[in-house]
Amino acid sequence: MEYKLGEDGTYSSEIPQAKEAGTYTVYWKTVGNDNYEDYESPTGVDVTIKKATPTLTWEDQTVVANGKAA
């Protein structure tokens, strides 16, 4: 199997990676041998990376808001 990121990407056996939030299209193809031809997928697969939602955790702490402990 080979993959590429976006229509203009270059096929590689490395799985595509992205770090930024957004939607990406991944294309794939199988590489044939002496008995089989290559097959390139006619459409890609859309993959979405969402922005992470930070989670804050405090143990045994007091938060003061407007002069009052919460």
Side-chain angles (χ1 to χ4, degrees):
M1 295 288 292
E2 291 189 352
Y3 312 89
K4 71 177 180 176
L5 193 56
E7 287 184 34
D8 298 329
T10 302
Y11 278 105
S12 170
S13 60
E14 298 293 320
I15 295 174
Q17 297 183 17
K19 294 180 182 179
E20 300 298 321
T23 299
Y24 300 88
T25 303
V26 177
Y27 295 86
W28 59 272
K29 74 175 184 176
T30 56
V31 179
N33 59 22
D34 293 340
N35 297 317
Y36 299 96
E37 294 182 8
D38 291 356
Y39 175 79
E40 188 171 335
S41 172
T43 59
V45 176
D46 289 335
V47 179
T48 301
I49 299 174
K50 294 183 179 181
K51 282 191 173 195
T53 303
T55 301
L56 305 175
T57 304
W58 290 278
E59 293 182 21
D60 300 322
Q61 300 294 318
T62 300
V63 177
V64 177
N66 296 325
K68 298 180 181 177

